[in-house]
Amino acid sequence: MSDLFDLKGNVAIVTGCSTGLGVQMAKALARQGCNIVAVARRQNLIEEVAADLAKEYGVETLAVRCDITDTEMVENAVETVMDRFGRIDILINNAGTGAVAPAKDITDDQFMNELNIDLFGTFKMARAVAKQAMIPAKYGRIINIASMYGLVGNKVAPASPYHAAKGGVVNLTRALAAEWGKYGIAVNAICPGYFYSPLTRETLDSEFFQANARTMIPMERYGDEGELDTAAIFLASPATTYVTGVMLPVDGGYTSM
């Protein structure tokens, strides 16, 4: 059964791979033998991540600095990966941000920044990887990291730009799955619930949010480190051949109610 999730020889780009969930998912793929390209804006952090993955899992790694909102940087980053490995089998679009404020107070710049990073940046990476690597190879696995907030609204943390952007990622996933299926490219999304990250820790540790978790999440807790791993490995696997256009919530049941 372990062969179903063997990723040896595969090459994965993971964006937002400097901290948090991006690093966790990169580790999960590396554990299965996948070579990892760590992409983020902070060169020192991705170089550390790449070195740690190579040392711990014995896979090939590469650190590529890239701002996913910059089209030229995105295109050049993908070219760099193709020059090094000659293939890109997996793309995890994890880079993102999150503005929390009442809708009446959100500025135009805040809203546009959210869309530019979470939605447009996701599209730019998918477009470049598909065009340069996956469509020519007639194979690929694209995993967009959306959010349970891309599926539902919420009353506890007003974040209308984030909801809009992640809702866009959800339907972008469906659109790309429909368009690129004929090339052997599966495009799916993971919709995480509440997980600790540098962006969320302060909010999630508040008494208000702790009480909300017990009320709103059937499992009555936040996601633990590593609990996205199985979803990422499943959707990245070459054996997952007939799953595309799917939104997979990993949220402790939040969106079931």
Side-chain angles (χ1 to χ4, degrees), residues 144 146 168-178 187-189 244-247:
N144 296 324
V169 171
V170 164
N171 222 32
L172 174 65
T173 299
R174 295 189 183 106
L176 297 182
V187 188
N188 294 290
T244 194
V246 163
M247 311 305 131

Side-chain angles (χ1 to χ4, degrees), residues 102-114:
K104 65 182 178 60
D105 298 326
I106 291 288
T107 67
D108 291 355
D109 286 344
Q110 283 177 308
F111 201 98
M112 290 305 299
N113 183 63
E114 198 87 28

Side-chain angles (χ1 to χ4, degrees), residues 7 10-13 88-92 129 134 138-144 184-188 234-243:
L7 298 176
N10 278 214
V11 175
I13 292 177
I88 300 168
D89 304 280
I90 302 158
L91 167 64
I92 298 185
V129 168
M134 292 181 176
K138 298 292 190 291
Y139 177 84
R141 299 287 183 265
I142 296 175
I143 304 168
N144 296 324
I185 301 171
V187 188
N188 294 290
F234 166 66
L235 294 176
S237 171
T240 306
T241 54
Y242 206 54
V243 177

Side-chain angles (χ1 to χ4, degrees), residues 45-61:
L45 293 183
I46 55 176
E47 286 181 355
E48 289 176 14
V49 169
D52 289 346
L53 292 173
K55 181 179 180 181
E56 185 169 358
Y57 301 106
V59 298
E60 291 188 62
T61 63

Side-chain angles (χ1 to χ4, degrees), residues 5 8 11 71 103 132 146 180 208 248:
F5 303 107
K8 290 184 181 67
V11 175
T71 301
Q132 294 189 43
W180 292 343
F208 175 76
L248 178 56

Side-chain angles (χ1 to χ4, degrees), residues 41 65 70 103 110 114 156 174 199 204:
R41 291 177 298 177
R65 182 180 177 276
D70 185 316
Q110 283 177 308
E114 198 87 28
V156 296
R174 295 189 183 106
L199 285 174
L204 295 186

